[in-house]
Amino acid sequence: NNPPWPAYRGYHEYSFAHATMQSRLPTILGKAIEDTIRTLNGQYSQERITDLVQCIDRMGDLMTDLSGNAKLRPILDDDEADVALWNKEIAKFFQGKDFMNAPWLFAEAYKYRRLHECFSISKFWKDYDVFYRQKCDTFSRSADAVFELSTRFAKPFSLSANFTPEEKLESERLMFLELTQVCLWGNSTDLSLLINMTEEQIKSLQSTGGDHLAATEKNILGNDLNRLWDHVKTLRERTGGRVDFVLDNAGFELYCDCVYADFLIQSGLATQIRFHGKRYPWFVSDVTKQDWEWLPNIMVYGQLFPNASDAELETLHRLGTRWKQYEKEGKWVYEQHPFWCTGYTFWDLHNEAPDLFLHLSRSDLVIFKGDLNHRKLTYDCAAPASTPFDVAIGPMSNSAGAPVVVSLRTIKSDVVVGLGPDGDKVAEELDKSEPGWKISGKYAVVLLSEGRPG
Ligand code: F6P
Ligand code: MG
């Protein structure tokens, strides 16, 4: 049940797998160690401090394994709900494999699982997030784009009472297309790539204005935005109108996801949104439950933006209050299935997490955000760029019960599919004219699969 193309691996020097396994992951781990040392210097009891020293020692061991390309050992039983899934996969497929010759996707996920283990077996630091400071800091430096959106969207969405039904639908369509792009490009600021970005660079990645969006649509190389609208406009007629977001990054991206989800609720296109996050820190910036709760709290009560005007802060406050209310009313629901923090690709979702597959199959639309989810959907293998998205995602498209799926992803790694019949030529030309195009986040795909009724 695998695709016919080879999965990327760390020793493939031509791919981003190599740079990631060789240097990006050790850098990320080094920063995590620095963060924990900062915490170690805080005012804690001796018991807590010595417990944290042991976490740091374990991170040191992980660094030795990673830089020495050690064999992948089983995960220690730390009572996490995913241990069995991890060790089954290691035993079945990766016995004797090391960080470089195991598939990149698996080896990279394994590193984040081992990092979690450094803390999960401690007494006091089980929930410590080595990436929290970075997530918080980048969001605080995203003020311009944050207020641009809050100023526009704090006011409840309403359409002129004089509109004909056609005009009403047309305004909804335009708003939908704009906000889908806001949600899409919100993915370009993921922290695993943005280490040491200046405020100016963050700004240019996050500008959300209308003209900018028209220009960036040209960079959506596989573009199913119109097909997506054709599907979404039918949701109102369905019983429920449930949309699921398989989230990617916390902070600014999550904020954009919420602005989008807010519009889906207010317009009546959806009646319920289910957000799927991670159970612990993952790929640096991914959303955990703490990040999910942090965002509206900081919007309503926090003081993260010292230079903002009272009027701006008021808009943020209104948005955050509305979002909290959605959660209270059950219109927004946060979930964290253990499967999302494993090394499995989504080709295995129906087999390894049948309960989750069944749950998703009841949704009217499942939106997968970001690069990692896209790699998992497509098995992170060397499929040609002309491969249709349905084919590339295999069982997530053709298993009985597969839901309608859309991937909103800025391209930050090797696998690129869904570029249409001329896709191989498009990719070849970009390889020549813009060698880093697959990792820059400048290009994107919006790809839809209609799924298969159960
Ligand atoms: O480390 C590589 C990677 O998995 C890439 O896929 C991407 O550059 C990044 O990490 C995560 O991106 P995202 O947050 O969009 O999933
Ligand atoms: Mg991410």
Side-chain angles (χ1 to χ4, degrees), residues 9-21:
R9 290 170 197 263
Y11 67 81
H12 292 155
E13 292 189 14
Y14 56 86
S15 99
F16 194 48
H18 189 68
T20 298
M21 296 311 298

Side-chain angles (χ1 to χ4, degrees), residues 63-123:
M63 184 66 105
T64 309
D65 282 0
L66 186 61
S67 32
N69 191 26
K71 292 208 161 66
L72 309 180
R73 65 150 170 82
I75 298 297
L76 301 181
D77 186 358
D78 55 5
D79 278 342
E80 274 297 352
D82 59 27
V83 183
L85 276 167
W86 272 102
N87 288 339
K88 183 168 127 193
E89 194 179 13
I90 295 171
K92 242 170 128 178
F93 304 109
F94 305 119
Q95 294 259 16
K97 287 274 186 282
D98 56 43
F99 281 90
M100 282 299 187
N101 67 16
W104 172 29
L105 180 66
F106 181 82
E108 191 174 12
Y110 175 84
K111 180 231 128 173
Y112 287 97
R113 182 61 179 88
R114 283 277 305 271
L115 177 57
H116 177 55
E117 188 197 272
C118 298
F119 294 89
S120 61
I121 60 175
S122 73
K123 185 163 175 207

